[in-house]
Amino acid sequence: MDSAVAGLLAAVVGVGGTLGSAWLTQRRGDASRREEWEHLERTRRTELAAQQVESGREAHKAAYTEFNAAARHYLASLNDHAHVLRIGYDTQESMATVEAARADYRRRYAEAQMTVPDTVLTEVRRVDISLGSVYGTLARLTHGTAREADDIGNVREQIKQAWRRPVQDARDDAYGSGGVGTVA
């Protein structure tokens, strides 16, 4: 082989090697950037999922807190109205307070129905039934349409039971569902 062909061949191999080296370096860089982007994307998705879980937990906590406060306020206003009936005072102002508390409670109950998990919703429904029963009896007594078993003593007992069982059970279930924290 002649030296000119050998030189040309060496030059072609050298240029080919240089170009091949640049091409391989470029491919490796692209692969490295792609892996880095995929890692960042996985990290972003993980953080987003964690934020969504925390946001859901906060939404549950807010719904539990607002429902619990409204239920307790409603029950306290029913208790106050029962005292007014028992003492024999004018019930108009007291009943207006009960109706305002009931309206707020109904709104919080509707929010809870849309927010809380089924396990807690069962207790929330028990609270609603209990409070509705007390309200119905007090309303009948207030309006003079009482049934045979309706008397202020039964109402007082219903109120005591509502404080002990459904309202407390709903609170305990809310804590136990993992949406609020631990019972203090």
Side-chain angles (χ1 to χ4, degrees):
M1 190 175 349
D2 133 290
S3 68
V5 173
L8 185 58
L9 187 59
V12 168
V13 169
V15 169
T18 301
L19 291 176
S21 162
W23 180 74
L24 288 174
T25 300
Q26 179 66 33
R27 280 191 46 117
R28 185 63 204 138
D30 289 346
S32 177
R33 281 188 294 280
R34 187 173 41 256
E35 288 172 7
E36 182 179 345
W37 181 84
E38 288 171 355
H39 174 71
L40 289 174
E41 185 63 20
R42 279 192 307 273
T43 302
R44 186 188 67 78
R45 286 182 183 163
T46 302
E47 289 173 356
L48 182 60
Q51 287 173 349
Q52 288 173 337
V53 166
E54 183 61 27
S55 176
R57 187 175 293 126
E58 289 299 319
H60 285 152
K61 182 178 180 179
Y64 299 148
T65 302
E66 291 171 5
F67 174 77
N68 189 301
R72 288 177 178 275
H73 177 68
Y74 182 32
L75 187 55
S77 70
L78 290 170
N79 189 43
D80 293 345
H81 186 67
H83 285 298
V84 167
L85 278 174
R86 186 177 52 82
I87 294 171
Y89 291 152
D90 181 31
T91 60
Q92 187 175 5
E93 183 180 330
S94 176
M95 195 61 178
T97 302
V98 167
E99 291 299 334
R102 182 174 185 246
D104 182 51
Y105 166 77
R106 298 303 298 166
R107 186 171 57 81
R108 300 300 182 186
Y109 176 71
E111 289 173 2
Q113 285 180 310
M114 301 304 290
T115 306
V116 301
D118 289 342
T119 56
V120 178
L121 193 55
T122 300
E123 290 302 325
V124 167
R125 285 184 185 125
R126 284 184 51 207
V127 169
D128 187 55
I129 290 167
S130 176
L131 293 177
S133 175
V134 172
Y135 173 80
T137 303
L138 279 175
R140 288 189 299 274
L141 288 170
T142 300
H143 300 302
T145 58
R147 295 177 184 161
E148 190 174 310
D150 291 346
D151 69 28
I152 203 67
N154 288 343
V155 169
R156 300 283 305 135
E157 188 56 35
Q158 284 179 312
I159 289 171
K160 285 179 187 175
Q161 290 303 318
W163 279 120
R164 282 189 213 125
R165 297 299 311 155
V167 172
Q168 186 64 37
D169 289 349
R171 177 183 175 269
D172 292 346
D173 274 2
Y175 278 101
S177 73
V180 176
T182 58
V183 177

